[in-house]
Amino acid sequence: MSALDAIRTRLRSRGVRRLQIGVPIVVPLAVLSVFVVRGCATATVPLVHPPPGVTLPAKTATTAPSDLTGVALVAVDGKTTTVPSRNSGTAHLSGSVNGPQGPVPGATVVVEHLVDDKPPPINVGTNPEGRWDLPNIAGGRYRVRAFLAPSLAQVQPEVFFLNDGDQRSLDLTVENFVGASVVAAVAPDPPHLNQPLNLVVRVARKVVDSTGVVRSQPTVNAGVALTGTPGWTVKGSPSGFTNGTGDVTFALECKSVGANQVQVVVRATPSDPPQPASLEVSACTDPGATSTTSTSAPASSGPPTTTTSSSSQN
């Protein structure tokens, strides 16, 4: 063998060895390239919508939510804090307090800031001219009323919203709560014609307490006299004195259907002047009364007429 043939044989053996090494590497790479190229060419799928009038069912969850109620959390250091409402600001309230006789000096104006943490109310007094002034308060919702114990009070407070920076003038009016309060009730209720009944008259004195609330205190040993009983007959004493609950009871009898008033004179204490009062109670009824209804047609054309009459069975 010549030297040239030896070189050719050596090169062929080297090529075979390289081919044996390269084929296992090239073939997998070629297969992988095919999948990559096909994956990039995504098919075009049309967007399908349901026809008009067709509603697809709602998707339902395939997994239940996690129940964390039994999980115990590890305690951490620290404490919970809340931000309190501001008690000061740039808002300003002022005004006057007036009563039946004009300005009320020495009255108390109660200003309540209606927020969640419920700060204590602010009490502001009126000057000799009945004026009051409250500067440098926070904005928010407020309730304001005035009183002067033991006789003057505002039973309907003013409720409003105040913006921060507002300057608002608010005039308040108080009512006079002096003298006896007299009310009446009957039993049975309603009373019946020609039947006995009890008339209870209650006497109380209204007083404005130290917080401005109007309260009724029963008046004991107040003198009460019946002075007018139209439609009623008095079966016992026409006068009496109230007991520990402020009540006095009279025995009457109804003599007129519809009677519902009595007149009394009340003297709360021997030193008080007599106070007349007209009291309303349930109207007297006749349980034995019946009504009859007849319908007749007139001679001329037109709707029929109805006549109702009442009679009493005693």
Side-chain angles (χ1 to χ4, degrees):
M1 179 183 294
S2 64
L4 181 59
D5 293 334
I7 293 174
R8 289 175 178 174
T9 302
R10 193 178 297 118
L11 291 175
R12 288 194 196 97
S13 62
R14 288 181 180 177
V16 171
R17 286 197 297 270
R18 289 178 180 175
L19 183 62
Q20 290 176 346
I21 296 173
V23 169
I25 296 175
V26 171
V27 172
L29 289 177
V31 174
L32 181 61
S33 299
V34 172
F35 281 107
V36 170
V37 172
R38 294 192 62 179
C40 292
T42 305
T44 302
V45 179
L47 183 60
V48 179
H49 295 281
V54 176
T55 302
L56 297 179
K59 295 182 178 180
T60 57
T62 58
T63 58
S66 301
D67 185 5
L68 304 179
T69 56
V71 177
L73 299 178
V74 180
V76 296
D77 295 334
K79 61 180 181 179
T80 303
T81 59
T82 58
V83 179
S85 302
R86 292 186 300 113
N87 292 325
S88 61
T90 57
H92 188 171
L93 283 175
S94 62
S96 63
V97 177
N98 298 284
Q101 307 301 323
V104 182
T108 299
V109 178
V110 183
V111 181
E112 299 174 89
H113 194 188
L114 304 180
V115 291
D116 291 338
D117 54 358
K118 298 180 180 179
I122 302 173
N123 292 339
V124 184
T126 58
N127 62 15
E129 288 75 35
R131 302 286 304 176
W132 61 280
D133 187 80
L134 182 60
N136 303 323
I137 59 175
R141 193 164 177 258
Y142 281 88
R143 178 169 55 212
V144 181
R145 60 187 174 89
F147 72 94
L148 178 61
S151 58
L152 298 175
Q154 180 181 353
V155 295
Q156 295 294 334
E158 301 286 343
V159 180
F160 55 89
F161 189 87
L162 188 69
N163 291 315
D164 206 10
D166 282 355
Q167 313 290 313
R168 180 163 182 169
S169 179
L170 189 64
D171 295 332
L172 308 174
T173 302
V174 292
E175 301 176 38
N176 196 356
F177 294 92
V178 176
S181 171
V182 186
V183 295
V186 290
D189 188 5
H192 296 162
L193 183 67
N194 299 322
Q195 297 296 321
L197 63 103
N198 288 328
L199 170 70
V200 179
V201 178
R202 173 167 293 181
V203 181
R205 183 181 295 274
K206 292 184 177 180
V207 177
V208 180
D209 66 12
S210 59
T211 64
V213 178
V214 181
R215 304 187 184 277
S216 294
Q217 298 178 346
T219 303
V220 182
N221 291 327
V224 181
L226 299 175
T227 58
T229 55
W232 314 88
T233 298
V234 180
K235 291 297 185 179
S237 174
S239 62
F241 294 91
T242 57
N243 56 19
T245 60
D247 298 339
V248 59
T249 302
F250 300 96
L252 303 179
E253 187 174 302
C254 174
K255 292 299 182 182
S256 175
V257 173
N260 67 342
Q261 283 192 346
V262 293
Q263 284 77 41
V264 298
V265 170
V266 177
R267 178 170 286 182
T269 65
S271 60
D272 288 339
Q275 177 181 334
S278 180
L279 308 178
E280 287 194 3
V281 296
S282 299
C284 180
T285 62
D286 183 2
T290 60
S291 60
T292 59
T293 303
S294 61
T295 303
S296 60
S300 60
S301 61
T305 59
T306 301
T307 305
T308 303
S309 62
S310 298
S311 62
S312 177
Q313 296 177 356
N314 295 324

